[in-house]
Amino acid sequence: MSTRTLVSPDISRRFDVLRTLLVIFVVGVHAEKGLQAYYKEIPDALRAVLIVVNHNIFRLCVPVFFFISGYLFYLTYKPTLDAYRKMVLKKTRTILFPYLLFNAITIALILIFNKAPYMGDINGLRAEGILKYLLGVYRFPAVYPLWFLRDLWVYFLLAPVFFFVIEEIPRLGVLLFWAVWMFVPQQGLAVELSGAFFFYTGGMLARTGVDLDAARRYTWLGLLLGLAALAAVSWVEYFKGYPPYYHMFYRHDMIFGTLALWLLTGYPWLGRSKFLLELSGVSFFVYLTHEPVLSYLIYGTRYIFHPTSGTWVGIGYMALLMGVTFALCTGLGLLLARYAPAVYAVATGARRR
């Protein structure tokens, strides 16, 4: 049975919209590198934009993706050894293989050209070794945004553990994983603890049959909570930097922001966006390929113009990087899906557009 048949058409459509929107957010998070490459000093107004948009709104891509992954996965989860074996094989093909493939391609670029701009160079590769760059063990992989796939694959391997907690203490489990995320030091761990919280929460809601639209009547309250959390963490970062208590503000901003973003998809202007829906099928390919495309565009900028100062110049430059990167990767994905479907399938772990 298809997982999508277990959710309403409206919920399924909103998931598809989020697939595209969140990939745009991913590109937006990393577009800030363009300013880091050319700006000697960030104007205060531009810094405020970066804090609100790039450091908080765009970064909702990670928790929302983990939440959706956990929710859809546990809708059809079967706690049997045979089902687990098949699941691991499938997730290895659809998640781990693309992860290794695109890391290997970037490592090859470094070996051939001595560097991949703003991603890594031959000296770092020799110092840490190809295996660390390929697997991303205790460091970011060669294609640093793909760390999400590494963690997601690990959480799928731990599916029986999450399932046991869901069955025994479903709601208390949310508090448990929240506490782990909040109070267990992240340093030295191989995976991101926030992923465990959101993956578990999505799975718990799926297994307990909670209606994802149950909070629709409280949309304005959810949006106000999201805005309040965003305002609080933005104020702390802008005026205080990163004090010890910053992470508490940031992590709760991710929680309330996830809720607010989901509630926003209940509005037709977002939840039924034709543009976002039409491109959802190629969104995974865009995610896989936006780096090193984005970094090469940043590197190539120096041959055209030098965005070195100004708030509006910085905003425009980031928007340009996002638009061109998204357009190039989307166009390549659509071309491969149509004219070289076998190549597209291999690149995306046997996915079809």
Side-chain angles (χ1 to χ4, degrees), residues 263-343:
L263 291 172
L264 279 176
T265 63
Y267 291 102
W269 59 267
L270 180 59
R272 297 186 181 185
S273 168
K274 291 184 178 180
F275 172 77
L276 297 176
L277 281 170
E278 289 175 358
L279 295 179
S280 65
V282 78
S283 60
F284 185 62
F285 182 85
V286 175
Y287 165 69
L288 290 170
T289 57
H290 82 278
E291 282 286 20
V293 172
L294 174 63
S295 289
Y296 276 110
L297 287 174
I298 294 171
Y299 185 78
T301 299
R302 68 192 64 197
Y303 301 110
I304 304 173
F305 67 101
H306 291 80
T308 57
S309 63
T311 297
W312 288 108
V313 170
I315 293 172
Y317 180 50
M318 286 192 297
L320 180 64
L321 287 172
M322 289 175 62
V324 174
T325 300
F326 187 80
L328 289 175
C329 296
T330 299
L332 177 60
L334 292 173
L335 286 172
L336 288 177
R338 180 170 183 178
Y339 297 107
V343 174

Side-chain angles (χ1 to χ4, degrees), residues 96-353:
L96 185 62
F97 178 77
Y99 172 80
L100 296 175
L101 174 64
F102 283 91
N103 281 329
I105 291 172
T106 298
I107 291 171
L109 290 174
I110 295 173
L111 290 172
I112 295 170
F113 300 107
N114 289 325
K115 68 176 181 180
Y118 311 113
M119 295 181 69
D121 58 32
I122 192 67
N123 293 325
L125 185 62
R126 287 170 176 167
E128 298 205 49
I130 290 177
L131 201 59
K132 279 192 175 182
Y133 270 61
L134 180 66
L135 300 179
V137 179
Y138 293 105
R139 58 152 289 139
F140 283 121
V143 185
Y144 62 92
L146 299 189
W147 68 266
F148 171 84
L149 295 183
R150 174 201 64 199
D151 287 15
L152 186 60
W153 185 73
V154 170
Y155 290 136
F156 282 131
L157 293 185
L158 294 174
V161 176
F162 289 110
F163 180 76
F164 174 80
V165 179
I166 290 172
E167 290 295 298
E168 297 299 324
I169 48 170
R171 287 165 179 79
L172 185 59
V174 174
L175 182 60
L176 172 65
F177 283 104
W178 172 86
V180 169
W181 179 28
M182 293 296 155
F183 303 112
V184 174
Q186 178 66 53
Q187 187 176 5
L189 299 179
V191 294
E192 170 61 48
L193 292 176
S194 66
F197 171 78
F198 287 101
F199 185 82
Y200 173 84
T201 302
M204 185 276 292
L205 294 180
R207 298 302 297 190
T208 55
V210 173
D211 180 8
L212 291 185
D213 251 354
R216 186 189 286 263
R217 70 186 71 177
Y218 306 111
T219 292
W220 282 106
L221 176 59
L223 294 179
L224 286 174
L225 286 172
L227 285 173
L230 174 61
V233 72
S234 298
W235 185 90
V236 171
E237 184 177 348
Y238 188 85
F239 290 104
K240 303 294 183 179
Y242 300 99
Y245 56 83
Y246 164 81
H247 295 291
M248 280 291 185
F249 280 85
Y250 175 75
R251 290 167 184 174
H252 286 92
D253 177 48
M254 292 297 100
I255 294 172
F256 290 116
T258 296
L259 172 63
L261 184 58
W262 173 250
L263 291 172
L264 279 176
T265 63
Y267 291 102
W269 59 267
L270 180 59
R272 297 186 181 185
S273 168
K274 291 184 178 180
F275 172 77
L276 297 176
L277 281 170
E278 289 175 358
L279 295 179
S280 65
V282 78
S283 60
F284 185 62
F285 182 85
V286 175
Y287 165 69
L288 290 170
T289 57
H290 82 278
E291 282 286 20
V293 172
L294 174 63
S295 289
Y296 276 110
L297 287 174
I298 294 171
Y299 185 78
T301 299
R302 68 192 64 197
Y303 301 110
I304 304 173
F305 67 101
H306 291 80
T308 57
S309 63
T311 297
W312 288 108
V313 170
I315 293 172
Y317 180 50
M318 286 192 297
L320 180 64
L321 287 172
M322 289 175 62
V324 174
T325 300
F326 187 80
L328 289 175
C329 296
T330 299
L332 177 60
L334 292 173
L335 286 172
L336 288 177
R338 180 170 183 178
Y339 297 107
V343 174
Y344 182 83
V346 169
T348 58
R351 284 175 172 82
R352 293 183 179 181
R353 181 178 176 269

